[in-house]
């Protein structure tokens, strides 16, 4: 499959003619090629976005919303095709890919409506001869740099609000997963989005990123990816003082109190830990279970994990697909070996799964580690794999302290049936997102984002729209 980039409404290759390979993580086969673009193509994409900006931002929110709703509808109409494309390049089970397409479309749909409610204010003045108005205006040309773990949703939760607010955008998808992005571009044009409003550039991350931060027309960049790259981008953003939102790594604690509904907690742990083979920034990394219920929880969770079928994402009944690449596999193996070496007990899994010839060696058995400690890699670094480390705790105070003892602060989860504790712990957890008796908190209506080294800025909800607007204050002498 040969694919092209979208610049100023035209489908183009790299100036050099070079291409990057897109591989199926399950088999390592090359399934498509995408343009290997750099700074020059990025500059043209930014300039197309700048040209499209006045026309798009002058449209009414209602008119922009109609285009966006057509895009969301087209995504749902083509859900099966888009899901298969995603599984091909990313590896996740088809059921999850279908879910991601619906989730991705929901950001476009929600923003299409919310764009109509970007209200300004009339502020009571301190002087009889003045009136004070605030306006919410589009930021301008924006750029998005997105990761491979959610190839569609990580784009639409930036693109939807940006377009709905009247901004235009250049998107640089992850090199592993350009196909979902390109398919979105095709649907956007079909939906009637004017040329230049949404541009897609694939290829050399450093060259494309460098141009995005160098070009003065780019007024805001939204990035989802590793904390390591986020820090590099923050430095680059200082050049033009480019506005940023960063959604970076996480290390989510998952707490089960003694009064929890254990079945719900097991179901929640399964959902948050093994979705996308554990390759999400909000998946549970440290599971703390009250000593009084730990044995029972471990028994039930390992029992439920036995039922998780490992295999290629397009095979029937598969719940855990391949890891994205060989490095990811090495990291998971290293984390499990390190934990075992330091005394954790492997309750189930703890080994790769060999699917035989024709398949890459990137499948890892859902693994439950009992008795993780602070020195282990699993308690400090994101494993980004299907590994669930569990340990016990005695008191609420102790577990909140352990949960907060992390440089990250994206998502945290806990299960309790005590209403007072629910509020107390939700307030005490130093995280941007708290799932209280809920392991799947992400939704288009809610502000998603972190604190500490998990980044800043919010995506989704009213707050996610505000990221793409600037407040202007007009002091009106009368
Ligand atoms: P992950 O660990 O999930 O692959 P990364 O942070 O490495 O996360 O990548 C997320 C996105 O950031 C990808 O689109 C990648 O190409 C891009 N990226 C990586 N390094 C840079 C860089 N120096 N400048 C701009 N973008 C980058």
């Amino acid at each position: 499959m040969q694919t092209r980039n979208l610049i100023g409404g035209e489908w183009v290759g790299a100036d050099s003619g070079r291409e990057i390979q897109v591989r199926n993580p399950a088999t390592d086969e090359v399934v498509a090629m995408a343009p290997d673009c750099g700074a020059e193509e990025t500059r043209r994409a930014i300039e197309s976005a700048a040209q499209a900006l006045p026309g798009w931002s002058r449209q009414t929110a209602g008119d922009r919303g109609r285009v966006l709703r057509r895009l969301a509808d087209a995504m749902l109409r083509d859900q099966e095709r888009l899901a298969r494309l995603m599984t091909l390049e990313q590896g996740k089970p088809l059921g999850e890919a279908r879910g991601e397409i619906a989730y991705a479309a929901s950001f476009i749909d929600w923003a299409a409506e919310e764009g109509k409610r970007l209200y300004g204010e009339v502020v009571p003045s301190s002087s009889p001869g003045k009136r004070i108005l605030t306006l919410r205006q589009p930021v301008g040309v924006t750029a998005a740099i997105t990761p491979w773990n959610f190839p569609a949703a990580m784009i639409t939760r930036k693109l939807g609000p940006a377009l709905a607010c009247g901004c235009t955008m250049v998107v640089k998808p992850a090199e592993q997963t350009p196909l979902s992005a390109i398919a979105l571009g095709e649907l956007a044009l079909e939906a009637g989005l004017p040329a230049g409003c949404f541009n897609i550039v694939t290829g050399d991350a450093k060259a494309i990123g460098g141009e995005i931060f160098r070009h003065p027309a780019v007024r805001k960049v939204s990035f989802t990816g590793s904390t390591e790259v986020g820090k590099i981008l923050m430095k680059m953003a200082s050049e033009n003082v480019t506005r940023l939102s960063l959604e970076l790594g996480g290390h989510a604690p998952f707490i089960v109190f003694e009064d929890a509904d254990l079945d719900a907690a097991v179901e929640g742990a399964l959902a948050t830990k093994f979705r996308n083979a554990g390759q999400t920034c909000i998946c549970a990394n440290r599971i703390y279970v009250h000593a009084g219920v730990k044995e029972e929880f471990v028994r039930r969770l390992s029992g439920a994990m036995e039922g998780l079928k490992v295999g290629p994402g397009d095979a029937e009944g598969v719940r855990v697909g391949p890891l994205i690449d060989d490095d990811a596999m090495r990291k998971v193996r290293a984390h499990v070996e390190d934990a075992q070496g330091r005394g954790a007990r492997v309750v189930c899994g703890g080994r790769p799964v060999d699917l035989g010839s024709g398949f890459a060696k990137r499948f890892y058995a859902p693994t439950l580690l009992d008795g993780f400690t602070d020195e282990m890699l699993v308690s400090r670094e994101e494993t980004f794999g299907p590994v669930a480390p569990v340990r016990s705790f005695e008191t609420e105070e102790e577990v909140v302290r352990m949960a907060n003892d992390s440089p990250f602060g994206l998502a945290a989860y806990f299960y309790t049936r005590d209403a007072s504790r629910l509020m107390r712990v939700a307030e005490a957890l130093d995280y941007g997102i708290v799932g209280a008796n809920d392991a799947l908190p992400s939704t288009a209506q809610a502000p998603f984002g972190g604190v500490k080294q998990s980044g800043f800025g919010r995506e989704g909800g009213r707050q996610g729209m505000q990221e793409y607007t600037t407040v202007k204050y007009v002091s009106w002498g009368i």
Side-chain angles (χ1 to χ4, degrees):
M1 195 193 313
Q2 214 77 19
T3 61
R4 299 192 150 251
N5 282 177
L6 181 58
I7 299 181
E10 302 288 330
W11 292 101
V12 295
D15 292 353
S16 65
R18 281 202 307 267
E19 296 185 305
I20 52 174
Q21 296 180 333
V22 184
R23 289 173 183 269
N24 178 345
T27 61
D28 208 30
E29 276 172 316
V30 176
V31 290
M33 304 298 287
D36 186 6
C37 289
E40 184 53 29
E41 297 90 335
T42 307
R43 184 185 61 74
R44 290 203 295 274
I46 293 167
E47 281 161 15
S48 305
Q51 254 182 351
L53 183 69
W56 182 246
S57 60
R58 267 201 304 269
Q59 285 199 22
T60 66
D63 286 343
R64 287 196 295 263
R66 263 184 285 283
V67 175
L68 291 176
R69 274 203 310 282
R70 281 200 296 273
L71 170 56
D73 289 346
M75 289 174 68
L76 294 177
R77 180 200 67 201
D78 286 2
Q79 184 176 18
E80 188 62 26
R81 178 180 70 84
L82 297 172
R84 287 187 181 274
L85 198 61
M86 185 184 298
T87 294
L88 184 71
E89 66 177 348
Q90 201 276 341
K92 67 178 61 182
L94 255 181
E96 286 186 30
R98 289 186 191 110
E100 185 183 334
I101 296 301
Y103 174 59
S106 75
F107 282 100
I108 303 276
D109 188 57
W110 197 83
E113 295 301 326
E114 191 65 9
K116 298 170 188 165
R117 288 180 275 275
L118 291 172
Y119 302 133
E121 291 175 314
V122 180
V123 181
S125 165
S126 57
S127 133
K130 283 189 183 188
R131 299 293 179 268
I132 297 171
L133 315 180
T134 66
L135 315 177
R136 277 201 174 272
Q137 295 188 305
V139 170
V141 174
T142 62
I145 300 176
T146 58
W148 50 263
N149 58 348
F150 291 93
M154 294 304 102
I155 293 178
T156 58
R157 76 179 180 184
K158 304 177 193 307
L159 181 71
L163 292 175
C165 292
C167 300
T168 56
M169 189 170 248
V170 175
V171 174
K172 191 211 92 60
E175 43 276 49
Q176 297 92 335
T177 57
L179 306 182
S180 297
I182 289 164
L184 280 179
E186 288 164 355
L187 294 182
L189 290 190
E190 187 191 305
L193 189 68
C197 289
F198 172 24
N199 305 273
I200 304 164
V201 186
T202 58
D204 183 340
K206 284 200 175 117
I208 298 170
E211 185 60 24
I212 284 173
F213 285 101
R214 196 174 308 120
H215 203 298
V218 178
R219 300 286 290 276
K220 185 211 161 76
V221 177
S222 176
F223 170 74
T224 301
S226 60
T227 296
E228 188 190 345
V229 172
K231 289 180 183 181
I232 296 173
L233 302 190
M234 264 186 101
K235 287 197 182 120
M236 298 207 288
S238 71
E239 190 172 331
N240 290 327
V241 196
T242 310
R243 196 166 150 186
L244 275 181
S245 349
L246 300 176
E247 199 263 275
L248 309 176
H251 206 277
F254 185 103
I255 305 167
V256 183
F257 285 101
E258 64 275 30
D259 60 3
D261 174 341
L262 271 198
D263 285 331
V266 167
E267 201 183 305
L270 213 60
T272 175
K273 182 69 254 186
F274 298 105
R275 192 164 65 112
N276 212 0
Q279 303 173 107
T280 85
C281 45
I282 60 166
C283 70
N285 284 270
R286 295 168 281 148
I287 302 179
Y288 301 98
V289 188
H290 189 270
V293 292
K294 200 199 78 175
E295 288 316 311
E296 182 59 13
F297 179 84
V298 165
R299 195 183 64 75
R300 291 197 208 179
L301 181 58
S302 60
M305 285 168 60
E306 302 290 345
L308 297 177
K309 187 173 162 189
V310 179
D314 57 359
E316 198 52 40
V318 163
R319 287 282 303 277
V320 179
L323 296 171
I324 189 72
D325 56 24
D326 295 339
D327 281 348
M329 188 69 175
R330 272 192 283 278
K331 187 171 192 190
V332 170
R333 294 180 79 144
H335 276 203
V336 173
E337 279 163 25
D338 170 79
Q340 264 184 297
R342 293 176 193 270
R345 181 171 71 92
V346 175
V347 182
C348 61
R351 59 190 158 73
V353 176
D354 190 351
L355 295 184
S357 70
F359 289 102
K361 302 216 175 315
R362 292 190 192 138
F363 296 89
Y364 201 87
T367 299
L368 183 51
L369 297 173
D370 191 5
F372 78 90
T373 58
D374 291 348
E375 309 79 59
M376 295 177 188
L377 291 173
V378 286
S379 72
R380 298 272 142 215
E381 294 178 17
E382 280 189 290
T383 305
F384 244 55
V387 179
V390 179
R391 72 186 280 181
S392 61
F393 70 90
E394 298 286 346
T395 68
E396 181 183 312
E397 193 188 7
E398 173 199 14
V399 76
V400 167
R401 186 178 40 73
M402 290 194 292
N404 286 342
D405 180 18
S406 168
F408 298 107
L410 189 56
Y413 308 90
F414 67 97
Y415 281 73
T416 180
R417 279 187 283 213
D418 177 331
S420 302
R421 169 179 280 158
L422 189 142
M423 204 59 222
R424 206 164 51 231
V425 174
E427 286 174 358
L429 287 170
D430 203 1
Y431 287 81
I433 303 162
V434 173
N437 296 329
D438 181 27
L440 297 170
S442 309
T443 172
Q445 295 89 324
F448 185 106
V451 296
K452 297 199 260 182
Q453 293 194 28
S454 292
F456 49 80
R458 293 293 179 265
E459 295 190 305
R462 207 161 25 88
Q463 295 84 346
M465 299 289 289
Q466 289 170 0
E467 297 281 339
Y468 293 91
T469 65
T470 301
V471 176
K472 182 183 283 174
Y473 144 51
V474 181
S475 183
W476 181 1
I478 56 170

